[in-house]
Amino acid sequence: MPVLPILEYPDAKLRAKSERVGEFDEKLSNLVDSLFETMYACNGIGLAAPQVGIPVRIFVIDLGAQPGFSGRKHEFINPIIRHASGSISFEEGCLSVPGLGEFVNRNNSVTIDYQDRHGNQASLNAEGLLAVAIQHEFDHLEGILFIDRLSKLKRLFAKRKLRRQVTL
Ligand code: CO
């Protein structure tokens, strides 16, 4: 499976709303494998399909790349966050927004319904970092980046910093 190039801010494709997956075939399975491989190659703990320019509702997560967390491969297709509660603030980064880490407020606990690569329906209760990662990756499917979730002032500084990174 090939490692795919990751789109970076301010690429307009990161702003598109992704489409549901309809066909659970070998092509889909290969894409999910490529997402994992690309994520591991970049030392990320999560990656969504639109980040590699494919606007479909798929993301993968493996917390194992984060020190102190044990890993498990999670793949989410056509996910729906059915329940979200509590609050947590975690310093997030994003493979599509390199060089920036900011604290973002999220729900601490989520229940996500999704399909696996075979089309089987499943459900997962997640807390803490896994819940944060799910919400971060889910946002990518809606064209939302973590910098959009910062306070107005923090967003202004973040965008200024990113602009400098892009132009220098
Ligand atoms: Co991201």
Side-chain angles (χ1 to χ4, degrees), residues 7 10-18 50-55 140 143:
L7 303 183
D11 196 307
K13 282 184 181 167
L14 292 169
R15 296 311 196 170
K17 195 172 148 79
S18 291
Q51 292 181 271
V52 295
I54 303 171
H140 278 300

Side-chain angles (χ1 to χ4, degrees), residues 118-158:
H118 309 294
N120 300 314
Q121 199 69 43
S123 187
L124 178 75
N125 296 313
E127 289 196 346
L129 180 57
L130 183 55
V132 167
I134 286 170
Q135 291 165 87
H136 177 116
E137 300 309 330
F138 186 89
D139 273 353
H140 278 300
L141 307 184
E142 299 294 316
I144 298 168
L145 299 175
F146 80 102
I147 49 175
D148 304 333
R149 299 218 177 262
L150 303 175
S151 69
K152 215 173 166 183
L153 191 64
K154 275 173 82 179
R155 192 164 63 235
L156 194 73
F157 280 114

Side-chain angles (χ1 to χ4, degrees), residues 70-82:
S70 57
R72 198 205 122 174
K73 288 173 85 166
H74 292 281
E75 56 192 57
F76 300 94
I77 299 166
N78 297 330
I80 293 168
I81 296 178
R82 178 157 47 85

Side-chain angles (χ1 to χ4, degrees), residues 14 27 29 38 45 52 55 72 76 78-79 94-95 97-98 101 110-111 123 168:
L14 292 169
K27 207 177 133 202
S29 190
T38 303
I45 61 168
V52 295
R72 198 205 122 174
F76 300 94
N78 297 330
C94 179
L95 294 174
V97 191
V110 298
T111 302
S123 187
L168 283 179

